[in-house]
């Protein structure tokens, strides 16, 4: 190891140029095109009922779905931006009003009736959300591993926020539009 120049020259002969990352909007679009079919396929593994859009609270539910979609899209875009050093990401202060608005609408739509001691519907809902989120989590981790972020915990937390906002609205809406004639 006396001749460092020889070592540097030997190592530099094998070097390949680094491919630049695609733009964020392209990465988000590709992730969505992979995650949507995987989520729909996973949703068929779980017993579920289709959404009845003719109910009285359907407009409020549609607004909640749109807010969750936008919130998840911003968070996923932000996670991809955070994974590349030097790119500016959206502040959490932009996501907070959307999240609070969605939370307020969700809480206001909860019925105030007495809940039975044995409510099996909440277990099925949780199982549905968990099963549909799993392929999205795997795809997101695989997508984020390509960049090796400087702050992986922050980008994973933002990706988790986006994924947690997505399963119920997007898959329910997609299943309703695709599977029902």
């Amino acid at each position: 190891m006396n001749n460092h120049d020889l070592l540097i020259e030997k190592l530099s002969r094998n070097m390949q140029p680094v491919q630049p990352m695609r733009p964020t909007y392209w990465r988000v679009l590709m992730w969505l095109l992979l995650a949507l079919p995987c989520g729909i396929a996973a949703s068929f593994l779980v017993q579920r009922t289709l959404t009845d859009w003719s109910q009285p609270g359907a407009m409020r539910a549609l607004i909640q779905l749109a807010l969750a979609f936008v919130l998840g899209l911003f968070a996923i875009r932000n996670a991809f931006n955070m994974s590349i050093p030097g790119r500016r990401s959206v502040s959490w202060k932009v996501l907070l009003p959307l999240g609070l608005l969605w939370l307020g609408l969700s809480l206001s739509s909860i019925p105030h009736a007495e809940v039975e001691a044995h409510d099996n519907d909440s277990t099925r809902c949780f199982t549905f959300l968990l099963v549909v989120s799993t392929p999205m989590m795997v795809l997101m981790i695989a997508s984020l591993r390509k960049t090796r972020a400087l702050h992986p915990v922050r980008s994973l937390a933002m990706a988790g926020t986006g994924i947690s906002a997505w399963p119920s609205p997007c898959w329910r809406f997609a299943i309703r539009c695709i599977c029902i004639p």
Side-chain angles (χ1 to χ4, degrees):
M1 254 334 188
N2 293 337
N3 191 354
H4 297 294
D5 292 328
L6 180 65
L7 178 64
I8 292 171
E9 185 179 325
K10 187 176 180 182
L11 291 174
S12 64
R13 277 189 236 140
N14 298 332
M15 292 184 62
Q16 299 290 328
V18 177
Q19 294 238 333
M21 292 303 299
R22 293 189 183 264
T24 302
Y25 69 87
W26 186 254
R27 293 173 66 201
V28 171
L29 179 66
M30 294 309 292
W31 182 83
L32 287 175
L33 291 176
L34 286 173
L36 188 63
C38 290
I40 291 172
S43 71
F44 288 123
L45 299 173
V46 183
Q47 177 187 2
R48 71 197 186 301
T49 59
L50 297 176
T51 306
D52 183 11
W53 294 104
S54 64
Q55 293 291 323
M59 184 54 74
R60 182 182 290 179
L62 196 59
I63 293 170
Q64 289 173 356
L65 295 177
L67 282 171
F69 179 82
V70 170
L71 181 66
L73 199 60
F74 276 150
I76 289 168
R77 180 185 172 277
N78 207 17
F80 279 126
N81 268 343
M82 291 172 82
S83 68
I84 298 177
R87 291 212 181 153
R88 293 199 32 93
S89 59
V90 177
S91 172
W92 62 270
K93 295 173 186 172
V94 174
L95 299 175
L96 187 65
L98 283 172
L100 289 176
L101 184 61
W102 172 82
L103 183 63
L105 279 172
S106 296
L107 290 176
S108 69
S109 66
I110 295 175
H112 299 290
E114 292 272 334
V115 179
E116 295 178 19
H118 181 68
D119 186 16
N120 212 9
D121 189 42
S122 62
T123 305
R124 285 183 291 182
C125 181
F126 176 75
T127 305
F128 175 81
L129 292 175
L130 190 63
V131 167
V132 171
S133 295
T134 302
M136 288 194 301
M137 288 185 286
V138 170
L139 287 171
M140 180 56 75
I141 291 171
S143 297
L144 288 176
R145 281 186 57 93
K146 292 180 181 179
T147 56
R148 303 286 188 211
L150 289 176
H151 305 285
V153 174
R154 287 186 204 163
S155 57
L156 281 175
M158 192 57 66
T161 302
I163 290 171
S164 67
W166 263 70
S168 179
C170 295
W171 307 137
R172 188 175 295 172
F173 186 72
I175 289 168
R176 176 74 177 163
C177 293
I178 293 171
C179 300
I180 304 298

